[in-house]
Amino acid sequence: FGLFCRLLQRELTINQIAKETGKSYSFTNKAVKSLIQQGLLHAKPVGHSILCKANYQHPAARQYLALSSALMHQQRFAAVREGKRSHVSTILSVLKHDFLCAVLVKEQLFIIRKDEPALGGDFHIIQSLHFKDFIRQHNLEDVIVVAGYEKFWELVGENFE
């Protein structure tokens, strides 16, 4: 599922998935067909190929995406300079989980909330109702989820097919 964390509308053939994961086509074909049967992936036949993409509405798919992005983003967050990591941790501890999720985009912190109270600080508040516009404005490869992985993918599921 890590392949689908980077681009929301990414569609991959079984052959592309096999190449990117380093697994054989036969193994990948069986695994992908199982994921399609379980409803975790959408499949679209195109000629002799099948294009696959994550089913963001499926709760189990969102769990896999949350886990994959947590592992990937923790590594990417560790690469962010120490001063910025410390600053982000302080802001998140002050907010005491009064937010849905938090992301870094090019070292700028964005807090996603249901409402948009007047909070001060050197971070941006995005109302969850504007989440879709926010994600469309940013390349998902530049987004590092730093808190609320499950909620992040739940919001993706609510806003994207």
Side-chain angles (χ1 to χ4, degrees), residues 2-159:
L3 297 174
F4 298 101
C5 289
R6 296 185 294 253
L7 297 171
L8 284 180
Q9 300 303 322
R10 187 171 195 181
E11 294 180 314
L12 298 169
T13 65
I14 294 172
N15 195 38
Q16 289 172 314
I17 294 170
K19 285 180 181 175
E20 289 207 32
T21 60
K23 303 291 183 191
S24 71
Y25 179 85
S26 176
F27 174 85
T28 305
N29 186 39
K30 288 177 189 172
V32 166
K33 288 189 176 177
S34 174
L35 293 171
I36 291 168
Q37 287 175 340
Q38 294 173 53
L40 302 174
L41 292 177
H42 287 299
K44 178 171 68 173
V46 177
H48 293 297
S49 297
I50 298 173
L51 286 177
C52 304
K53 73 177 188 175
N55 177 359
Y56 298 109
Q57 281 74 40
H58 196 290
R62 290 196 306 258
Q63 290 286 323
Y64 284 122
L65 288 162
L67 178 60
S68 296
S69 63
L71 295 171
M72 180 175 37
H73 292 176
Q74 284 176 356
Q75 293 172 345
R76 290 177 60 205
F77 187 56
V80 171
R81 61 187 169 80
E82 174 55 37
K84 187 64 173 184
R85 284 196 321 264
S86 176
H87 184 68
V88 167
S89 297
T90 301
I91 290 170
L92 296 179
S93 68
V94 167
L95 290 175
K96 298 187 189 306
H97 302 288
D98 189 23
F99 56 90
L100 300 173
C101 60
V103 300
L104 276 177
V105 180
K106 298 180 181 173
E107 293 205 9
Q108 291 185 42
L109 180 62
F110 294 85
I111 307 291
I112 315 300
R113 297 175 51 106
K114 283 191 178 182
D115 54 5
E116 198 169 354
L119 291 174
D122 56 348
F123 54 92
H124 309 276
I125 301 290
I126 307 294
Q127 198 173 8
S128 60
L129 138 82
H130 301 296
F131 180 80
K132 186 174 189 174
D133 295 332
F134 169 75
I135 289 298
R136 283 197 168 149
Q137 291 171 6
H138 297 91
N139 181 349
L140 200 57
E141 291 181 341
D142 294 333
V143 172
I144 301 173
V145 179
V146 294
Y149 299 98
E150 293 92 356
K151 201 60 173 173
F152 176 84
W153 289 106
E154 187 178 312
L155 288 167
V156 168
E158 291 170 1
N159 288 282

